[in-house]
Structure formats: C-alpha cells, structure tokens
Amino acid sequence: MSHEIIQPEGWAKPIGYSNGISARGRIVQVGGQVGWDENCEFQSDDFVDQVRQTLANVVTVLTAADAKPEHIIQMTWYFTDRHAYKSRLKDIGAAYRETIGRHFPPMAAVQVVALMEDRAKIEIQVLAVVPE
C-alpha cells in the first residue's frame, strides 16, 4: 500500500474525510478545477452539478498523469456559498462516491467571496501520490 490513513488514538472517526495520511511515491498536483467542461463552458449553475463536473475534471487530470482517485492524499474545496454546500451534503456525497469512490483523504472546505470564473460555484485542488 502506498498510503496509510492516520487516525489519532481516542479521536472520533471523521465522516467523509480523514484526519491525516502518510504516503510514498510520485507526486501529482492537480491545480484548482472548476465545474466546467473540457471546452471551458459551464453546463449548469446548480451547485451539485458543478461539484460532479469538478470532481470529474479532477479524475481526468489524474488519469492523464497515470494516477487514480485512490491515490489522492489531500483535497481542498473552495466554494462561494457555505449554505449551498451544507444543505446539499447528501447529494454532494453521492456525487463524490460516484466519481471518486469510497476513498476519503484529508480535506479542507473553505467558503470564499468569489472564484476567478464568474459562474464557478466550486473549485477543488488535489494532491495525489502514485506508488512507484
């Protein structure tokens, strides 16, 4: 195994992410991806649709680097509407599992005032480590 989830003794187990991870291998950095398609066009303004597309974009970049979702060791989510995120967690979780699977690396979720693309509601940055 190229990575190991870190769960401090006595801590409650987190849901949908992990507290830490240890990994060894080739590093793949995925720059911030937003919810547009391969032509840089948004197909939807719905928050969950953009999450789904953003995650698909992350997987596409990973695939181009001969990496897989299970190689992800860190995710940072930037979104413009904390309420939209929190109120749609069930749908976001379903989109995540459909695209990434049941791999839950350490994550940070941050509300920002705006993203660089006016229609973007979510941006996700990823760090992965591929076993050598």
Side-chain angles (χ1 to χ4, degrees):
M1 175 178 265
S2 69
H3 70 275
E4 175 186 356
I5 299 296
I6 307 299
Q7 176 61 28
E9 188 175 327
W11 283 26
K13 186 176 179 186
I15 298 172
Y17 67 96
S18 60
N19 287 305
I21 195 166
S22 173
R24 183 177 309 211
R26 179 175 54 88
I27 296 173
V28 177
Q29 174 70 54
V30 179
Q33 299 296 305
V34 296
W36 59 18
D37 64 19
E38 66 277 4
N39 298 311
C40 301
E41 296 176 3
F42 289 91
Q43 301 300 316
S44 175
D45 289 317
D46 178 73
F47 189 80
V48 175
D49 288 346
Q50 285 200 17
V51 168
R52 184 175 285 107
Q53 182 64 53
T54 301
L55 291 169
N57 294 345
V58 165
V59 171
T60 299
V61 174
L62 289 171
T63 301
D66 293 324
K68 300 177 182 175
E70 59 263 28
H71 298 139
I72 296 170
I73 64 162
Q74 180 180 356
M75 298 181 88
T76 304
W77 296 49
Y78 303 96
F79 43 81
T80 57
D81 185 345
R82 179 175 172 251
H83 176 72
Y85 175 82
K86 291 182 81 172
S87 68
R88 306 280 309 271
L89 277 175
K90 184 176 180 179
D91 297 327
I92 292 166
Y96 181 94
R97 289 185 302 278
E98 289 166 12
T99 311
I100 303 297
R102 292 195 168 275
H103 173 62
F104 304 105
M107 297 183 202
V110 182
Q111 179 176 318
V112 296
V113 173
L115 296 167
M116 294 308 294
E117 298 301 325
D118 290 336
R119 287 182 66 188
K121 298 180 182 302
I122 180 86
E123 184 167 336
I124 299 175
Q125 185 176 10
V126 167
L127 184 63
V129 176
V130 182
E132 294 183 326

